[in-house]
PDB file of all heavy atoms in Angstrom:
ATOM      1  N   ASN A  11      95.889 101.783  88.500  1.00 51.00           N
ATOM      2  CA  ASN A  11      96.651 101.843  89.739  1.00 51.00           C
ATOM      3  C   ASN A  11      97.223 103.224  90.028  1.00 51.00           C
ATOM      4  O   ASN A  11      98.026 103.373  90.922  1.00 51.00           O
ATOM      5  CB  ASN A  11      97.779 100.814  89.714  1.00 51.00           C
ATOM      6  CG  ASN A  11      97.246  99.403  89.839  1.00 51.00           C
ATOM      7  OD1 ASN A  11      96.263  99.193  90.521  1.00 51.00           O
ATOM      8  ND2 ASN A  11      97.878  98.471  89.171  1.00 51.00           N
ATOM      9  N   LYS A  12      96.801 104.242  89.291  1.00 50.00           N
ATOM     10  CA  LYS A  12      97.365 105.576  89.475  1.00 50.00           C
ATOM     11  C   LYS A  12      97.134 106.099  90.896  1.00 50.00           C
ATOM     12  O   LYS A  12      98.046 106.632  91.510  1.00 50.00           O
ATOM     13  CB  LYS A  12      96.765 106.538  88.452  1.00 50.00           C
ATOM     14  CG  LYS A  12      97.489 107.847  88.355  1.00 50.00           C
ATOM     15  CD  LYS A  12      96.966 108.663  87.199  1.00 50.00           C
ATOM     16  CE  LYS A  12      97.782 109.930  87.064  1.00 50.00           C
ATOM     17  NZ  LYS A  12      97.334 110.740  85.965  1.00 50.00           N
ATOM     18  N   ASP A  13      95.925 105.961  91.456  1.00 50.00           N
ATOM     19  CA  ASP A  13      95.652 106.407  92.818  1.00 50.00           C
ATOM     20  C   ASP A  13      96.479 105.615  93.828  1.00 50.00           C
ATOM     21  O   ASP A  13      96.967 106.166  94.796  1.00 50.00           O
ATOM     22  CB  ASP A  13      94.168 106.280  93.147  1.00 50.00           C
ATOM     23  CG  ASP A  13      93.324 107.281  92.361  1.00 50.00           C
ATOM     24  OD1 ASP A  13      93.860 108.334  91.984  1.00 50.00           O
ATOM     25  OD2 ASP A  13      92.146 106.982  92.135  1.00 50.00           O
ATOM     26  N   TYR A  14      96.618 104.331  93.616  1.00 50.00           N
ATOM     27  CA  TYR A  14      97.417 103.491  94.509  1.00 50.00           C
ATOM     28  C   TYR A  14      98.858 103.978  94.536  1.00 50.00           C
ATOM     29  O   TYR A  14      99.475 104.034  95.574  1.00 50.00           O
ATOM     30  CB  TYR A  14      97.335 102.033  94.051  1.00 50.00           C
ATOM     31  CG  TYR A  14      98.130 101.110  94.933  1.00 50.00           C
ATOM     32  CD1 TYR A  14      97.663 100.736  96.186  1.00 50.00           C
ATOM     33  CD2 TYR A  14      99.350 100.606  94.517  1.00 50.00           C
ATOM     34  CE1 TYR A  14      98.392  99.891  96.995  1.00 50.00           C
ATOM     35  CE2 TYR A  14     100.093  99.763  95.322  1.00 50.00           C
ATOM     36  CZ  TYR A  14      99.606  99.404  96.552  1.00 50.00           C
ATOM     37  OH  TYR A  14     100.323  98.576  97.353  1.00 50.00           O
ATOM     38  N   ASP A  15      99.398 104.325  93.400  1.00 73.00           N
ATOM     39  CA  ASP A  15     100.775 104.806  93.343  1.00 73.00           C
ATOM     40  C   ASP A  15     100.938 106.106  94.126  1.00 73.00           C
ATOM     41  O   ASP A  15     101.969 106.315  94.763  1.00 73.00           O
ATOM     42  CB  ASP A  15     101.220 105.004  91.898  1.00 73.00           C
ATOM     43  CG  ASP A  15     101.382 103.675  91.169  1.00 73.00           C
ATOM     44  OD1 ASP A  15     101.519 102.641  91.836  1.00 73.00           O
ATOM     45  OD2 ASP A  15     101.378 103.695  89.931  1.00 73.00           O
ATOM     46  N   LYS A  16      99.947 106.976  94.089  1.00 85.00           N
ATOM     47  CA  LYS A  16     100.013 108.211  94.873  1.00 85.00           C
ATOM     48  C   LYS A  16     100.025 107.888  96.367  1.00 85.00           C
ATOM     49  O   LYS A  16     100.782 108.484  97.126  1.00 85.00           O
ATOM     50  CB  LYS A  16      98.827 109.128  94.556  1.00 85.00           C
ATOM     51  CG  LYS A  16      98.913 109.796  93.207  1.00 85.00           C
ATOM     52  CD  LYS A  16      97.686 110.660  92.963  1.00 85.00           C
ATOM     53  CE  LYS A  16      97.665 111.201  91.558  1.00 85.00           C
ATOM     54  NZ  LYS A  16      96.433 111.960  91.278  1.00 85.00           N
ATOM     55  N   ARG A  17      99.210 106.949  96.771  1.00 85.00           N
ATOM     56  CA  ARG A  17      99.198 106.536  98.184  1.00 85.00           C
ATOM     57  C   ARG A  17     100.532 105.916  98.574  1.00 85.00           C
ATOM     58  O   ARG A  17     101.045 106.163  99.656  1.00 85.00           O
ATOM     59  CB  ARG A  17      98.065 105.555  98.459  1.00 85.00           C
ATOM     60  CG  ARG A  17      96.694 106.206  98.523  1.00 85.00           C
ATOM     61  CD  ARG A  17      95.672 105.209  98.945  1.00 85.00           C
ATOM     62  NE  ARG A  17      95.653 104.140  97.933  1.00 85.00           N
ATOM     63  CZ  ARG A  17      94.831 103.117  97.944  1.00 85.00           C
ATOM     64  NH1 ARG A  17      93.976 102.986  98.909  1.00 85.00           N
ATOM     65  NH2 ARG A  17      94.871 102.214  97.007  1.00 85.00           N
ATOM     66  N   ARG A  18     101.065 105.100  97.682  1.00 84.00           N
ATOM     67  CA  ARG A  18     102.345 104.446  97.947  1.00 84.00           C
ATOM     68  C   ARG A  18     103.455 105.482  98.076  1.00 84.00           C
ATOM     69  O   ARG A  18     104.271 105.414  98.996  1.00 84.00           O
ATOM     70  CB  ARG A  18     102.645 103.465  96.818  1.00 84.00           C
ATOM     71  CG  ARG A  18     103.933 102.715  96.965  1.00 84.00           C
ATOM     72  CD  ARG A  18     104.028 101.699  95.840  1.00 84.00           C
ATOM     73  NE  ARG A  18     105.289 101.022  95.834  1.00 84.00           N
ATOM     74  CZ  ARG A  18     105.588 100.055  94.978  1.00 84.00           C
ATOM     75  NH1 ARG A  18     104.695  99.655  94.084  1.00 84.00           N
ATOM     76  NH2 ARG A  18     106.760  99.477  95.013  1.00 84.00           N
ATOM     77  N   LEU A  19     103.477 106.440  97.177  1.00 86.00           N
ATOM     78  CA  LEU A  19     104.478 107.505  97.227  1.00 86.00           C
ATOM     79  C   LEU A  19     104.340 108.326  98.505  1.00 86.00           C
ATOM     80  O   LEU A  19     105.324 108.578  99.205  1.00 86.00           O
ATOM     81  CB  LEU A  19     104.360 108.415  96.006  1.00 86.00           C
ATOM     82  CG  LEU A  19     105.275 109.632  95.993  1.00 86.00           C
ATOM     83  CD1 LEU A  19     106.729 109.208  95.890  1.00 86.00           C
ATOM     84  CD2 LEU A  19     104.909 110.550  94.836  1.00 86.00           C
ATOM     85  N   THR A  20     103.112 108.702  98.840  1.00 91.00           N
ATOM     86  CA  THR A  20     102.868 109.485 100.055  1.00 91.00           C
ATOM     87  C   THR A  20     103.248 108.692 101.299  1.00 91.00           C
ATOM     88  O   THR A  20     103.893 109.214 102.211  1.00 91.00           O
ATOM     89  CB  THR A  20     101.390 109.919 100.128  1.00 91.00           C
ATOM     90  OG1 THR A  20     101.077 110.672  98.952  1.00 91.00           O
ATOM     91  CG2 THR A  20     101.117 110.757 101.361  1.00 91.00           C
ATOM     92  N   ALA A  21     102.878 107.418 101.333  1.00 91.00           N
ATOM     93  CA  ALA A  21     103.196 106.571 102.483  1.00 91.00           C
ATOM     94  C   ALA A  21     104.712 106.420 102.645  1.00 91.00           C
ATOM     95  O   ALA A  21     105.234 106.515 103.761  1.00 91.00           O
ATOM     96  CB  ALA A  21     102.536 105.203 102.326  1.00 91.00           C
ATOM     97  N   SER A  22     105.421 106.222 101.554  1.00 88.00           N
ATOM     98  CA  SER A  22     106.880 106.092 101.620  1.00 88.00           C
ATOM     99  C   SER A  22     107.524 107.396 102.067  1.00 88.00           C
ATOM    100  O   SER A  22     108.472 107.398 102.857  1.00 88.00           O
ATOM    101  CB  SER A  22     107.445 105.668 100.265  1.00 88.00           C
ATOM    102  OG  SER A  22     107.068 104.346  99.974  1.00 88.00           O
ATOM    103  N   PHE A  23     106.993 108.519 101.578  1.00 89.00           N
ATOM    104  CA  PHE A  23     107.517 109.827 101.970  1.00 89.00           C
ATOM    105  C   PHE A  23     107.318 110.069 103.469  1.00 89.00           C
ATOM    106  O   PHE A  23     108.241 110.472 104.177  1.00 89.00           O
ATOM    107  CB  PHE A  23     106.834 110.928 101.148  1.00 89.00           C
ATOM    108  CG  PHE A  23     107.255 112.314 101.554  1.00 89.00           C
ATOM    109  CD1 PHE A  23     108.466 112.832 101.155  1.00 89.00           C
ATOM    110  CD2 PHE A  23     106.428 113.087 102.357  1.00 89.00           C
ATOM    111  CE1 PHE A  23     108.860 114.112 101.534  1.00 89.00           C
ATOM    112  CE2 PHE A  23     106.804 114.368 102.745  1.00 89.00           C
ATOM    113  CZ  PHE A  23     108.027 114.877 102.326  1.00 89.00           C
ATOM    114  N   VAL A  24     106.113 109.798 103.951  1.00 93.00           N
ATOM    115  CA  VAL A  24     105.802 110.003 105.372  1.00 93.00           C
ATOM    116  C   VAL A  24     106.668 109.076 106.244  1.00 93.00           C
ATOM    117  O   VAL A  24     107.221 109.516 107.253  1.00 93.00           O
ATOM    118  CB  VAL A  24     104.297 109.778 105.638  1.00 93.00           C
ATOM    119  CG1 VAL A  24     103.990 109.696 107.122  1.00 93.00           C
ATOM    120  CG2 VAL A  24     103.486 110.896 104.991  1.00 93.00           C
ATOM    121  N   GLU A  25     106.819 107.834 105.833  1.00 92.00           N
ATOM    122  CA  GLU A  25     107.643 106.887 106.589  1.00 92.00           C
ATOM    123  C   GLU A  25     109.084 107.384 106.658  1.00 92.00           C
ATOM    124  O   GLU A  25     109.711 107.361 107.717  1.00 92.00           O
ATOM    125  CB  GLU A  25     107.583 105.499 105.940  1.00 92.00           C
ATOM    126  CG  GLU A  25     108.200 104.385 106.755  1.00 92.00           C
ATOM    127  CD  GLU A  25     109.704 104.252 106.568  1.00 92.00           C
ATOM    128  OE1 GLU A  25     110.231 104.645 105.508  1.00 92.00           O
ATOM    129  OE2 GLU A  25     110.353 103.754 107.503  1.00 92.00           O
ATOM    130  N   GLY A  26     109.609 107.849 105.563  1.00 89.00           N
ATOM    131  CA  GLY A  26     110.983 108.348 105.545  1.00 89.00           C
ATOM    132  C   GLY A  26     111.167 109.607 106.360  1.00 89.00           C
ATOM    133  O   GLY A  26     112.159 109.770 107.074  1.00 89.00           O
ATOM    134  N   LEU A  27     110.202 110.516 106.278  1.00 90.00           N
ATOM    135  CA  LEU A  27     110.303 111.793 106.969  1.00 90.00           C
ATOM    136  C   LEU A  27     110.168 111.654 108.484  1.00 90.00           C
ATOM    137  O   LEU A  27     110.910 112.273 109.244  1.00 90.00           O
ATOM    138  CB  LEU A  27     109.236 112.759 106.432  1.00 90.00           C
ATOM    139  CG  LEU A  27     109.269 114.179 106.980  1.00 90.00           C
ATOM    140  CD1 LEU A  27     110.554 114.885 106.569  1.00 90.00           C
ATOM    141  CD2 LEU A  27     108.057 114.958 106.467  1.00 90.00           C
ATOM    142  N   PHE A  28     109.225 110.836 108.935  1.00 94.00           N
ATOM    143  CA  PHE A  28     108.922 110.770 110.357  1.00 94.00           C
ATOM    144  C   PHE A  28     109.492 109.554 111.096  1.00 94.00           C
ATOM    145  O   PHE A  28     109.544 109.549 112.321  1.00 94.00           O
ATOM    146  CB  PHE A  28     107.409 110.831 110.581  1.00 94.00           C
ATOM    147  CG  PHE A  28     106.815 112.144 110.188  1.00 94.00           C
ATOM    148  CD1 PHE A  28     106.019 112.246 109.064  1.00 94.00           C
ATOM    149  CD2 PHE A  28     107.090 113.289 110.920  1.00 94.00           C
ATOM    150  CE1 PHE A  28     105.470 113.471 108.686  1.00 94.00           C
ATOM    151  CE2 PHE A  28     106.563 114.515 110.555  1.00 94.00           C
ATOM    152  CZ  PHE A  28     105.748 114.604 109.438  1.00 94.00           C
ATOM    153  N   ILE A  29     109.903 108.517 110.371  1.00 93.00           N
ATOM    154  CA  ILE A  29     110.404 107.324 111.046  1.00 93.00           C
ATOM    155  C   ILE A  29     111.860 107.043 110.647  1.00 93.00           C
ATOM    156  O   ILE A  29     112.764 107.132 111.476  1.00 93.00           O
ATOM    157  CB  ILE A  29     109.500 106.106 110.771  1.00 93.00           C
ATOM    158  CG1 ILE A  29     108.103 106.376 111.348  1.00 93.00           C
ATOM    159  CG2 ILE A  29     110.091 104.838 111.383  1.00 93.00           C
ATOM    160  CD1 ILE A  29     107.073 105.347 111.015  1.00 93.00           C
TER     161      ILE A  29
END
Side-chain angles (χ1 to χ4, degrees):
N11 289 326
K12 193 172 184 179
D13 291 334
Y14 180 76
D15 290 340
K16 287 179 187 176
R17 285 186 299 183
R18 180 175 175 177
L19 175 66
T20 302
S22 291
F23 176 78
V24 168
E25 190 275 334
L27 184 65
F28 294 109
I29 297 173

